[in-house]
PDB file of all heavy atoms in Angstrom:
ATOM      1  N   LYS A   1     100.677  90.802  89.449  1.00 93.00           N
ATOM      2  CA  LYS A   1     101.902  91.570  89.670  1.00 93.00           C
ATOM      3  C   LYS A   1     102.238  91.612  91.149  1.00 93.00           C
ATOM      4  O   LYS A   1     101.405  91.274  91.985  1.00 93.00           O
ATOM      5  CB  LYS A   1     101.776  92.978  89.089  1.00 93.00           C
ATOM      6  CG  LYS A   1     100.672  93.822  89.715  1.00 93.00           C
ATOM      7  CD  LYS A   1     100.541  95.148  89.040  1.00 93.00           C
ATOM      8  CE  LYS A   1     101.059  96.226  89.937  1.00 93.00           C
ATOM      9  NZ  LYS A   1     100.998  97.554  89.380  1.00 93.00           N
ATOM     10  N   GLU A   2     103.462  92.059  91.457  1.00 95.00           N
ATOM     11  CA  GLU A   2     103.902  92.166  92.837  1.00 95.00           C
ATOM     12  C   GLU A   2     103.477  93.512  93.415  1.00 95.00           C
ATOM     13  O   GLU A   2     103.637  94.541  92.773  1.00 95.00           O
ATOM     14  CB  GLU A   2     105.427  92.048  92.953  1.00 95.00           C
ATOM     15  CG  GLU A   2     105.968  90.688  92.610  1.00 95.00           C
ATOM     16  CD  GLU A   2     106.415  90.558  91.173  1.00 95.00           C
ATOM     17  OE1 GLU A   2     106.277  91.518  90.401  1.00 95.00           O
ATOM     18  OE2 GLU A   2     106.888  89.475  90.802  1.00 95.00           O
ATOM     19  N   ALA A   3     102.959  93.489  94.640  1.00 96.00           N
ATOM     20  CA  ALA A   3     102.572  94.714  95.336  1.00 96.00           C
ATOM     21  C   ALA A   3     103.670  95.065  96.342  1.00 96.00           C
ATOM     22  O   ALA A   3     104.426  94.188  96.770  1.00 96.00           O
ATOM     23  CB  ALA A   3     101.243  94.516  96.050  1.00 96.00           C
ATOM     24  N   PRO A   4     103.764  96.337  96.728  1.00 96.00           N
ATOM     25  CA  PRO A   4     104.804  96.734  97.686  1.00 96.00           C
ATOM     26  C   PRO A   4     104.574  96.155  99.080  1.00 96.00           C
ATOM     27  O   PRO A   4     103.441  95.987  99.514  1.00 96.00           O
ATOM     28  CB  PRO A   4     104.702  98.258  97.731  1.00 96.00           C
ATOM     29  CG  PRO A   4     103.850  98.645  96.598  1.00 96.00           C
ATOM     30  CD  PRO A   4     103.033  97.480  96.214  1.00 96.00           C
ATOM     31  N   LEU A   5     105.672  95.849  99.762  1.00 95.00           N
ATOM     32  CA  LEU A   5     105.671  95.417 101.158  1.00 95.00           C
ATOM     33  C   LEU A   5     106.309  96.513 101.990  1.00 95.00           C
ATOM     34  O   LEU A   5     107.117  97.295 101.487  1.00 95.00           O
ATOM     35  CB  LEU A   5     106.541  94.172 101.338  1.00 95.00           C
ATOM     36  CG  LEU A   5     106.069  92.843 100.820  1.00 95.00           C
ATOM     37  CD1 LEU A   5     107.235  91.875 100.828  1.00 95.00           C
ATOM     38  CD2 LEU A   5     104.972  92.319 101.684  1.00 95.00           C
ATOM     39  N   ASP A   6     105.987  96.555 103.283  1.00 95.00           N
ATOM     40  CA  ASP A   6     106.668  97.490 104.165  1.00 95.00           C
ATOM     41  C   ASP A   6     108.108  97.015 104.343  1.00 95.00           C
ATOM     42  O   ASP A   6     108.374  95.813 104.427  1.00 95.00           O
ATOM     43  CB  ASP A   6     105.973  97.571 105.519  1.00 95.00           C
ATOM     44  CG  ASP A   6     106.422  98.791 106.299  1.00 95.00           C
ATOM     45  OD1 ASP A   6     105.872  99.883 106.083  1.00 95.00           O
ATOM     46  OD2 ASP A   6     107.350  98.645 107.106  1.00 95.00           O
ATOM     47  N   ILE A   7     109.028  97.955 104.389  1.00 94.00           N
ATOM     48  CA  ILE A   7     110.448  97.620 104.452  1.00 94.00           C
ATOM     49  C   ILE A   7     110.806  96.880 105.749  1.00 94.00           C
ATOM     50  O   ILE A   7     111.762  96.118 105.791  1.00 94.00           O
ATOM     51  CB  ILE A   7     111.303  98.893 104.262  1.00 94.00           C
ATOM     52  CG1 ILE A   7     112.679  98.540 103.745  1.00 94.00           C
ATOM     53  CG2 ILE A   7     111.380  99.715 105.524  1.00 94.00           C
ATOM     54  CD1 ILE A   7     113.417  99.698 103.137  1.00 94.00           C
ATOM     55  N   SER A   8     109.982  97.049 106.797  1.00 93.00           N
ATOM     56  CA  SER A   8     110.244  96.369 108.068  1.00 93.00           C
ATOM     57  C   SER A   8     109.870  94.892 108.019  1.00 93.00           C
ATOM     58  O   SER A   8     110.225  94.133 108.923  1.00 93.00           O
ATOM     59  CB  SER A   8     109.476  97.050 109.197  1.00 93.00           C
ATOM     60  OG  SER A   8     108.081  96.901 108.989  1.00 93.00           O
ATOM     61  N   ASN A   9     109.146  94.463 106.983  1.00 95.00           N
ATOM     62  CA  ASN A   9     108.718  93.067 106.866  1.00 95.00           C
ATOM     63  C   ASN A   9     109.686  92.196 106.066  1.00 95.00           C
ATOM     64  O   ASN A   9     109.383  91.037 105.811  1.00 95.00           O
ATOM     65  CB  ASN A   9     107.328  92.983 106.233  1.00 95.00           C
ATOM     66  CG  ASN A   9     106.265  93.541 107.137  1.00 95.00           C
ATOM     67  OD1 ASN A   9     106.450  93.631 108.337  1.00 95.00           O
ATOM     68  ND2 ASN A   9     105.154  93.931 106.568  1.00 95.00           N
ATOM     69  N   VAL A  10     110.823  92.750 105.660  1.00 95.00           N
ATOM     70  CA  VAL A  10     111.827  91.973 104.947  1.00 95.00           C
ATOM     71  C   VAL A  10     113.190  92.143 105.621  1.00 95.00           C
ATOM     72  O   VAL A  10     113.438  93.151 106.273  1.00 95.00           O
ATOM     73  CB  VAL A  10     111.944  92.364 103.448  1.00 95.00           C
ATOM     74  CG1 VAL A  10     110.663  92.078 102.716  1.00 95.00           C
ATOM     75  CG2 VAL A  10     112.337  93.804 103.285  1.00 95.00           C
ATOM     76  N   ALA A  11     114.038  91.122 105.477  1.00 94.00           N
ATOM     77  CA  ALA A  11     115.391  91.179 106.030  1.00 94.00           C
ATOM     78  C   ALA A  11     116.355  90.591 105.007  1.00 94.00           C
ATOM     79  O   ALA A  11     116.007  89.672 104.266  1.00 94.00           O
ATOM     80  CB  ALA A  11     115.474  90.383 107.327  1.00 94.00           C
ATOM     81  N   ILE A  12     117.551  91.120 104.976  1.00 93.00           N
ATOM     82  CA  ILE A  12     118.582  90.631 104.053  1.00 93.00           C
ATOM     83  C   ILE A  12     119.001  89.225 104.469  1.00 93.00           C
ATOM     84  O   ILE A  12     119.081  88.910 105.653  1.00 93.00           O
ATOM     85  CB  ILE A  12     119.782  91.594 104.038  1.00 93.00           C
ATOM     86  CG1 ILE A  12     119.351  92.892 103.366  1.00 93.00           C
ATOM     87  CG2 ILE A  12     120.980  90.997 103.338  1.00 93.00           C
ATOM     88  CD1 ILE A  12     120.420  93.916 103.222  1.00 93.00           C
ATOM     89  N   THR A  13     119.261  88.374 103.461  1.00 92.00           N
ATOM     90  CA  THR A  13     119.688  87.004 103.716  1.00 92.00           C
ATOM     91  C   THR A  13     120.783  86.623 102.730  1.00 92.00           C
ATOM     92  O   THR A  13     120.896  87.225 101.666  1.00 92.00           O
ATOM     93  CB  THR A  13     118.499  86.021 103.609  1.00 92.00           C
ATOM     94  OG1 THR A  13     118.936  84.718 103.934  1.00 92.00           O
ATOM     95  CG2 THR A  13     117.910  86.012 102.215  1.00 92.00           C
ATOM     96  N   LYS A  14     121.569  85.629 103.092  1.00 88.00           N
ATOM     97  CA  LYS A  14     122.591  85.119 102.180  1.00 88.00           C
ATOM     98  C   LYS A  14     122.245  83.718 101.708  1.00 88.00           C
ATOM     99  O   LYS A  14     122.499  83.358 100.577  1.00 88.00           O
ATOM    100  CB  LYS A  14     123.964  85.106 102.863  1.00 88.00           C
ATOM    101  CG  LYS A  14     124.583  86.470 102.964  1.00 88.00           C
ATOM    102  CD  LYS A  14     126.027  86.361 103.344  1.00 88.00           C
ATOM    103  CE  LYS A  14     126.662  87.735 103.255  1.00 88.00           C
ATOM    104  NZ  LYS A  14     128.093  87.656 103.207  1.00 88.00           N
ATOM    105  N   ASP A  15     121.642  82.902 102.594  1.00 87.00           N
ATOM    106  CA  ASP A  15     121.364  81.504 102.266  1.00 87.00           C
ATOM    107  C   ASP A  15     119.872  81.222 102.065  1.00 87.00           C
ATOM    108  O   ASP A  15     119.467  80.072 102.046  1.00 87.00           O
ATOM    109  CB  ASP A  15     121.929  80.596 103.345  1.00 87.00           C
ATOM    110  CG  ASP A  15     121.337  80.894 104.722  1.00 87.00           C
ATOM    111  OD1 ASP A  15     120.449  81.755 104.829  1.00 87.00           O
ATOM    112  OD2 ASP A  15     121.763  80.246 105.693  1.00 87.00           O
ATOM    113  N   ASP A  16     119.042  82.232 101.914  1.00 87.00           N
ATOM    114  CA  ASP A  16     117.595  82.115 101.718  1.00 87.00           C
ATOM    115  C   ASP A  16     116.868  81.479 102.902  1.00 87.00           C
ATOM    116  O   ASP A  16     115.736  81.052 102.770  1.00 87.00           O
ATOM    117  CB  ASP A  16     117.262  81.336 100.442  1.00 87.00           C
ATOM    118  CG  ASP A  16     117.606  82.113  99.184  1.00 87.00           C
ATOM    119  OD1 ASP A  16     117.810  83.333  99.283  1.00 87.00           O
ATOM    120  OD2 ASP A  16     117.660  81.497  98.115  1.00 87.00           O
ATOM    121  N   LYS A  17     117.509  81.391 104.065  1.00 89.00           N
ATOM    122  CA  LYS A  17     116.857  80.807 105.233  1.00 89.00           C
ATOM    123  C   LYS A  17     116.930  81.711 106.449  1.00 89.00           C
ATOM    124  O   LYS A  17     115.928  81.923 107.111  1.00 89.00           O
ATOM    125  CB  LYS A  17     117.489  79.454 105.575  1.00 89.00           C
ATOM    126  CG  LYS A  17     117.243  78.394 104.529  1.00 89.00           C
ATOM    127  CD  LYS A  17     117.952  77.110 104.850  1.00 89.00           C
ATOM    128  CE  LYS A  17     117.786  76.138 103.696  1.00 89.00           C
ATOM    129  NZ  LYS A  17     118.709  75.022 103.779  1.00 89.00           N
ATOM    130  N   THR A  18     118.114  82.241 106.746  1.00 90.00           N
ATOM    131  CA  THR A  18     118.288  83.018 107.961  1.00 90.00           C
ATOM    132  C   THR A  18     118.342  84.514 107.659  1.00 90.00           C
ATOM    133  O   THR A  18     119.126  84.951 106.823  1.00 90.00           O
ATOM    134  CB  THR A  18     119.588  82.623 108.700  1.00 90.00           C
ATOM    135  OG1 THR A  18     120.665  82.706 107.762  1.00 90.00           O
ATOM    136  CG2 THR A  18     119.511  81.226 109.240  1.00 90.00           C
ATOM    137  N   PRO A  19     117.505  85.295 108.346  1.00 91.00           N
ATOM    138  CA  PRO A  19     117.577  86.754 108.184  1.00 91.00           C
ATOM    139  C   PRO A  19     118.814  87.303 108.892  1.00 91.00           C
ATOM    140  O   PRO A  19     119.231  86.782 109.926  1.00 91.00           O
ATOM    141  CB  PRO A  19     116.299  87.257 108.847  1.00 91.00           C
ATOM    142  CG  PRO A  19     115.816  86.168 109.706  1.00 91.00           C
ATOM    143  CD  PRO A  19     116.404  84.891 109.195  1.00 91.00           C
ATOM    144  N   LEU A  20     119.419  88.326 108.309  1.00 90.00           N
ATOM    145  CA  LEU A  20     120.618  88.940 108.869  1.00 90.00           C
ATOM    146  C   LEU A  20     120.344  90.387 109.235  1.00 90.00           C
ATOM    147  O   LEU A  20     119.511  91.043 108.613  1.00 90.00           O
ATOM    148  CB  LEU A  20     121.761  88.888 107.847  1.00 90.00           C
ATOM    149  CG  LEU A  20     122.171  87.519 107.340  1.00 90.00           C
ATOM    150  CD1 LEU A  20     123.169  87.667 106.209  1.00 90.00           C
ATOM    151  CD2 LEU A  20     122.760  86.701 108.463  1.00 90.00           C
ATOM    152  N   ARG A  21     121.070  90.891 110.219  1.00 89.00           N
ATOM    153  CA  ARG A  21     120.957  92.297 110.605  1.00 89.00           C
ATOM    154  C   ARG A  21     122.055  93.085 109.909  1.00 89.00           C
ATOM    155  O   ARG A  21     123.197  92.665 109.856  1.00 89.00           O
ATOM    156  CB  ARG A  21     121.071  92.450 112.110  1.00 89.00           C
ATOM    157  CG  ARG A  21     119.885  91.836 112.802  1.00 89.00           C
ATOM    158  CD  ARG A  21     119.802  92.297 114.212  1.00 89.00           C
ATOM    159  NE  ARG A  21     118.608  91.718 114.796  1.00 89.00           N
ATOM    160  CZ  ARG A  21     117.833  92.359 115.627  1.00 89.00           C
ATOM    161  NH1 ARG A  21     118.116  93.592 115.980  1.00 89.00           N
ATOM    162  NH2 ARG A  21     116.776  91.777 116.127  1.00 89.00           N
ATOM    163  N   VAL A  22     121.669  94.249 109.393  1.00 89.00           N
ATOM    164  CA  VAL A  22     122.589  95.084 108.633  1.00 89.00           C
ATOM    165  C   VAL A  22     122.913  96.326 109.446  1.00 89.00           C
ATOM    166  O   VAL A  22     122.054  96.902 110.101  1.00 89.00           O
ATOM    167  CB  VAL A  22     121.958  95.500 107.287  1.00 89.00           C
ATOM    168  CG1 VAL A  22     122.884  96.402 106.512  1.00 89.00           C
ATOM    169  CG2 VAL A  22     121.600  94.281 106.476  1.00 89.00           C
ATOM    170  N   SER A  23     124.178  96.734 109.417  1.00 88.00           N
ATOM    171  CA  SER A  23     124.584  97.987 110.041  1.00 88.00           C
ATOM    172  C   SER A  23     125.585  98.678 109.125  1.00 88.00           C
ATOM    173  O   SER A  23     125.980  98.138 108.102  1.00 88.00           O
ATOM    174  CB  SER A  23     125.200  97.730 111.420  1.00 88.00           C
ATOM    175  OG  SER A  23     126.361  96.955 111.303  1.00 88.00           O
ATOM    176  N   PHE A  24     125.973  99.873 109.500  1.00 88.00           N
ATOM    177  CA  PHE A  24     126.928 100.645 108.718  1.00 88.00           C
ATOM    178  C   PHE A  24     128.213 100.825 109.508  1.00 88.00           C
ATOM    179  O   PHE A  24     128.185 100.954 110.735  1.00 88.00           O
ATOM    180  CB  PHE A  24     126.356 102.024 108.377  1.00 88.00           C
ATOM    181  CG  PHE A  24     125.207 101.974 107.408  1.00 88.00           C
ATOM    182  CD1 PHE A  24     123.904 102.054 107.855  1.00 88.00           C
ATOM    183  CD2 PHE A  24     125.432 101.853 106.050  1.00 88.00           C
ATOM    184  CE1 PHE A  24     122.853 102.008 106.968  1.00 88.00           C
ATOM    185  CE2 PHE A  24     124.381 101.803 105.160  1.00 88.00           C
ATOM    186  CZ  PHE A  24     123.089 101.878 105.617  1.00 88.00           C
ATOM    187  N   GLN A  25     129.347 100.813 108.806  1.00 88.00           N
ATOM    188  CA  GLN A  25     130.628 101.103 109.425  1.00 88.00           C
ATOM    189  C   GLN A  25     131.319 102.166 108.601  1.00 88.00           C
ATOM    190  O   GLN A  25     131.185 102.199 107.382  1.00 88.00           O
ATOM    191  CB  GLN A  25     131.515  99.861 109.485  1.00 88.00           C
ATOM    192  CG  GLN A  25     131.216  98.975 110.646  1.00 88.00           C
ATOM    193  CD  GLN A  25     132.262  97.883 110.799  1.00 88.00           C
ATOM    194  OE1 GLN A  25     133.031  97.613 109.892  1.00 88.00           O
ATOM    195  NE2 GLN A  25     132.277  97.255 111.961  1.00 88.00           N
ATOM    196  N   GLY A  26     132.075 103.023 109.264  1.00 87.00           N
ATOM    197  CA  GLY A  26     132.786 104.095 108.586  1.00 87.00           C
ATOM    198  C   GLY A  26     131.955 105.362 108.555  1.00 87.00           C
ATOM    199  O   GLY A  26     130.817 105.398 109.002  1.00 87.00           O
ATOM    200  N   GLU A  27     132.568 106.395 108.007  1.00 86.00           N
ATOM    201  CA  GLU A  27     131.887 107.677 107.917  1.00 86.00           C
ATOM    202  C   GLU A  27     132.069 108.283 106.540  1.00 86.00           C
ATOM    203  O   GLU A  27     133.028 107.989 105.841  1.00 86.00           O
ATOM    204  CB  GLU A  27     132.442 108.624 108.984  1.00 86.00           C
ATOM    205  CG  GLU A  27     132.132 108.163 110.391  1.00 86.00           C
ATOM    206  CD  GLU A  27     132.449 109.240 111.408  1.00 86.00           C
ATOM    207  OE1 GLU A  27     132.506 110.411 111.030  1.00 86.00           O
ATOM    208  OE2 GLU A  27     132.645 108.877 112.577  1.00 86.00           O
ATOM    209  N   LYS A  28     131.121 109.102 106.170  1.00 83.00           N
ATOM    210  CA  LYS A  28     131.124 109.834 104.894  1.00 83.00           C
ATOM    211  C   LYS A  28     131.397 108.909 103.705  1.00 83.00           C
ATOM    212  O   LYS A  28     130.631 108.012 103.447  1.00 83.00           O
ATOM    213  CB  LYS A  28     132.125 110.989 104.936  1.00 83.00           C
ATOM    214  CG  LYS A  28     131.911 111.956 106.081  1.00 83.00           C
ATOM    215  CD  LYS A  28     130.907 112.987 105.739  1.00 83.00           C
ATOM    216  CE  LYS A  28     130.734 113.917 106.935  1.00 83.00           C
ATOM    217  NZ  LYS A  28     129.931 115.023 106.665  1.00 83.00           N
ATOM    218  N   LYS A  29     132.521 109.065 103.031  1.00 84.00           N
ATOM    219  CA  LYS A  29     132.819 108.279 101.831  1.00 84.00           C
ATOM    220  C   LYS A  29     133.216 106.838 102.135  1.00 84.00           C
ATOM    221  O   LYS A  29     133.125 105.972 101.279  1.00 84.00           O
ATOM    222  CB  LYS A  29     133.925 108.952 101.017  1.00 84.00           C
ATOM    223  CG  LYS A  29     133.487 110.243 100.386  1.00 84.00           C
ATOM    224  CD  LYS A  29     134.565 110.830  99.527  1.00 84.00           C
ATOM    225  CE  LYS A  29     134.083 112.119  98.884  1.00 84.00           C
ATOM    226  NZ  LYS A  29     135.072 112.706  97.996  1.00 84.00           N
ATOM    227  N   ASP A  30     133.686 106.570 103.354  1.00 86.00           N
ATOM    228  CA  ASP A  30     134.125 105.225 103.729  1.00 86.00           C
ATOM    229  C   ASP A  30     132.988 104.372 104.280  1.00 86.00           C
ATOM    230  O   ASP A  30     133.205 103.243 104.706  1.00 86.00           O
ATOM    231  CB  ASP A  30     135.234 105.307 104.783  1.00 86.00           C
ATOM    232  CG  ASP A  30     136.452 106.039 104.251  1.00 86.00           C
ATOM    233  OD1 ASP A  30     136.706 105.939 103.039  1.00 86.00           O
ATOM    234  OD2 ASP A  30     137.145 106.694 105.050  1.00 86.00           O
ATOM    235  N   LYS A  31     131.766 104.891 104.294  1.00 86.00           N
ATOM    236  CA  LYS A  31     130.624 104.200 104.877  1.00 86.00           C
ATOM    237  C   LYS A  31     130.227 102.982 104.030  1.00 86.00           C
ATOM    238  O   LYS A  31     130.011 103.097 102.832  1.00 86.00           O
ATOM    239  CB  LYS A  31     129.444 105.170 104.959  1.00 86.00           C
ATOM    240  CG  LYS A  31     128.297 104.727 105.797  1.00 86.00           C
ATOM    241  CD  LYS A  31     127.289 105.866 105.864  1.00 86.00           C
ATOM    242  CE  LYS A  31     126.192 105.563 106.820  1.00 86.00           C
ATOM    243  NZ  LYS A  31     125.212 106.644 106.864  1.00 86.00           N
ATOM    244  N   VAL A  32     130.156 101.797 104.661  1.00 88.00           N
ATOM    245  CA  VAL A  32     129.786 100.561 103.965  1.00 88.00           C
ATOM    246  C   VAL A  32     128.768  99.790 104.804  1.00 88.00           C
ATOM    247  O   VAL A  32     128.736  99.907 106.032  1.00 88.00           O
ATOM    248  CB  VAL A  32     131.000  99.646 103.685  1.00 88.00           C
ATOM    249  CG1 VAL A  32     131.927 100.250 102.662  1.00 88.00           C
ATOM    250  CG2 VAL A  32     131.732  99.304 104.952  1.00 88.00           C
ATOM    251  N   ARG A  33     127.951  98.982 104.120  1.00 88.00           N
ATOM    252  CA  ARG A  33     126.995  98.122 104.816  1.00 88.00           C
ATOM    253  C   ARG A  33     127.700  96.830 105.219  1.00 88.00           C
ATOM    254  O   ARG A  33     128.438  96.240 104.427  1.00 88.00           O
ATOM    255  CB  ARG A  33     125.812  97.765 103.910  1.00 88.00           C
ATOM    256  CG  ARG A  33     124.941  98.931 103.561  1.00 88.00           C
ATOM    257  CD  ARG A  33     123.708  98.516 102.800  1.00 88.00           C
ATOM    258  NE  ARG A  33     124.035  97.766 101.598  1.00 88.00           N
ATOM    259  CZ  ARG A  33     123.182  96.991 100.938  1.00 88.00           C
ATOM    260  NH1 ARG A  33     121.955  96.860 101.351  1.00 88.00           N
ATOM    261  NH2 ARG A  33     123.551  96.352  99.853  1.00 88.00           N
ATOM    262  N   VAL A  34     127.477  96.396 106.462  1.00 90.00           N
ATOM    263  CA  VAL A  34     128.081  95.167 106.960  1.00 90.00           C
ATOM    264  C   VAL A  34     127.018  94.324 107.667  1.00 90.00           C
ATOM    265  O   VAL A  34     126.018  94.847 108.150  1.00 90.00           O
ATOM    266  CB  VAL A  34     129.257  95.431 107.934  1.00 90.00           C
ATOM    267  CG1 VAL A  34     130.412  96.093 107.226  1.00 90.00           C
ATOM    268  CG2 VAL A  34     128.815  96.246 109.119  1.00 90.00           C
ATOM    269  N   VAL A  35     127.252  93.008 107.710  1.00 87.00           N
ATOM    270  CA  VAL A  35     126.393  92.086 108.447  1.00 87.00           C
ATOM    271  C   VAL A  35     127.255  91.269 109.391  1.00 87.00           C
ATOM    272  O   VAL A  35     128.423  91.022 109.122  1.00 87.00           O
ATOM    273  CB  VAL A  35     125.604  91.137 107.512  1.00 87.00           C
ATOM    274  CG1 VAL A  35     124.612  91.897 106.689  1.00 87.00           C
ATOM    275  CG2 VAL A  35     126.518  90.337 106.625  1.00 87.00           C
ATOM    276  N   LYS A  36     126.648  90.852 110.490  1.00 82.00           N
ATOM    277  CA  LYS A  36     127.351  90.020 111.440  1.00 82.00           C
ATOM    278  C   LYS A  36     126.891  88.582 111.225  1.00 82.00           C
ATOM    279  O   LYS A  36     125.716  88.271 111.373  1.00 82.00           O
ATOM    280  CB  LYS A  36     127.035  90.470 112.861  1.00 82.00           C
ATOM    281  CG  LYS A  36     128.119  90.225 113.848  1.00 82.00           C
ATOM    282  CD  LYS A  36     127.765  90.830 115.174  1.00 82.00           C
ATOM    283  CE  LYS A  36     129.009  91.266 115.886  1.00 82.00           C
ATOM    284  NZ  LYS A  36     128.746  91.815 117.201  1.00 82.00           N
ATOM    285  N   VAL A  37     127.818  87.708 110.816  1.00 82.00           N
ATOM    286  CA  VAL A  37     127.510  86.312 110.553  1.00 82.00           C
ATOM    287  C   VAL A  37     128.408  85.447 111.426  1.00 82.00           C
ATOM    288  O   VAL A  37     129.629  85.484 111.303  1.00 82.00           O
ATOM    289  CB  VAL A  37     127.744  85.963 109.060  1.00 82.00           C
ATOM    290  CG1 VAL A  37     127.383  84.517 108.788  1.00 82.00           C
ATOM    291  CG2 VAL A  37     126.960  86.884 108.165  1.00 82.00           C
ATOM    292  N   ASN A  38     127.797  84.659 112.314  1.00 78.00           N
ATOM    293  CA  ASN A  38     128.536  83.770 113.204  1.00 78.00           C
ATOM    294  C   ASN A  38     129.630  84.507 113.980  1.00 78.00           C
ATOM    295  O   ASN A  38     130.733  84.009 114.142  1.00 78.00           O
ATOM    296  CB  ASN A  38     129.141  82.594 112.439  1.00 78.00           C
ATOM    297  CG  ASN A  38     128.092  81.750 111.776  1.00 78.00           C
ATOM    298  OD1 ASN A  38     126.965  81.656 112.285  1.00 78.00           O
ATOM    299  ND2 ASN A  38     128.416  81.142 110.665  1.00 78.00           N
ATOM    300  N   GLY A  39     129.331  85.712 114.437  1.00 76.00           N
ATOM    301  CA  GLY A  39     130.277  86.486 115.223  1.00 76.00           C
ATOM    302  C   GLY A  39     131.315  87.240 114.410  1.00 76.00           C
ATOM    303  O   GLY A  39     132.108  87.985 114.961  1.00 76.00           O
ATOM    304  N   LYS A  40     131.348  87.034 113.097  1.00 80.00           N
ATOM    305  CA  LYS A  40     132.304  87.721 112.239  1.00 80.00           C
ATOM    306  C   LYS A  40     131.589  88.823 111.460  1.00 80.00           C
ATOM    307  O   LYS A  40     130.463  88.628 111.002  1.00 80.00           O
ATOM    308  CB  LYS A  40     132.940  86.749 111.254  1.00 80.00           C
ATOM    309  CG  LYS A  40     133.688  85.614 111.904  1.00 80.00           C
ATOM    310  CD  LYS A  40     134.158  84.642 110.846  1.00 80.00           C
ATOM    311  CE  LYS A  40     134.643  83.362 111.513  1.00 80.00           C
ATOM    312  NZ  LYS A  40     134.716  82.259 110.587  1.00 80.00           N
ATOM    313  N   ILE A  41     132.245  89.936 111.279  1.00 83.00           N
ATOM    314  CA  ILE A  41     131.672  91.036 110.513  1.00 83.00           C
ATOM    315  C   ILE A  41     132.085  90.894 109.071  1.00 83.00           C
ATOM    316  O   ILE A  41     133.278  90.784 108.754  1.00 83.00           O
ATOM    317  CB  ILE A  41     132.111  92.395 111.084  1.00 83.00           C
ATOM    318  CG1 ILE A  41     131.551  92.548 112.499  1.00 83.00           C
ATOM    319  CG2 ILE A  41     131.651  93.534 110.200  1.00 83.00           C
ATOM    320  CD1 ILE A  41     132.003  93.793 113.220  1.00 83.00           C
ATOM    321  N   GLU A  42     131.091  90.869 108.157  1.00 82.00           N
ATOM    322  CA  GLU A  42     131.367  90.731 106.731  1.00 82.00           C
ATOM    323  C   GLU A  42     130.808  91.926 105.979  1.00 82.00           C
ATOM    324  O   GLU A  42     129.731  92.408 106.281  1.00 82.00           O
ATOM    325  CB  GLU A  42     130.707  89.457 106.174  1.00 82.00           C
ATOM    326  CG  GLU A  42     131.284  88.182 106.713  1.00 82.00           C
ATOM    327  CD  GLU A  42     130.613  86.949 106.091  1.00 82.00           C
ATOM    328  OE1 GLU A  42     129.902  87.106 105.097  1.00 82.00           O
ATOM    329  OE2 GLU A  42     130.829  85.854 106.620  1.00 82.00           O
ATOM    330  N   LYS A  43     131.549  92.365 104.978  1.00 84.00           N
ATOM    331  CA  LYS A  43     131.107  93.447 104.113  1.00 84.00           C
ATOM    332  C   LYS A  43     129.996  92.932 103.204  1.00 84.00           C
ATOM    333  O   LYS A  43     130.083  91.833 102.671  1.00 84.00           O
ATOM    334  CB  LYS A  43     132.296  93.934 103.286  1.00 84.00           C
ATOM    335  CG  LYS A  43     132.095  95.253 102.626  1.00 84.00           C
ATOM    336  CD  LYS A  43     133.400  95.683 101.986  1.00 84.00           C
ATOM    337  CE  LYS A  43     133.211  96.915 101.164  1.00 84.00           C
ATOM    338  NZ  LYS A  43     134.423  97.324 100.482  1.00 84.00           N
TER     339      LYS A  43
END
């Protein structure tokens, strides 16, 4: 079975190769997760 990993040892990816950094934009109800890819901000 799979054992737990520390959350700091994983990073979100889109293409299974490059790790991406995640941040939040907006406040309260408008808060969404975004990533910066090639200088562009994507939801």
Side-chain angles (χ1 to χ4, degrees):
K1 62 184 252 179
E2 293 94 358
L5 288 167
D6 196 84
I7 204 162
S8 65
N9 292 339
V10 297
I12 291 182
T13 183
K14 284 193 172 197
D15 59 3
D16 290 344
K17 293 176 186 165
T18 53
L20 302 172
R21 293 195 177 218
V22 178
S23 63
F24 291 99
Q25 277 189 344
E27 294 191 22
K28 305 275 180 173
K29 291 184 179 182
D30 299 328
K31 193 175 187 181
V32 291
R33 293 186 304 162
V34 294
V35 294
K36 210 174 211 182
V37 182
N38 299 330
K40 300 174 192 162
I41 296 175
E42 294 182 13
K43 195 173 173 183

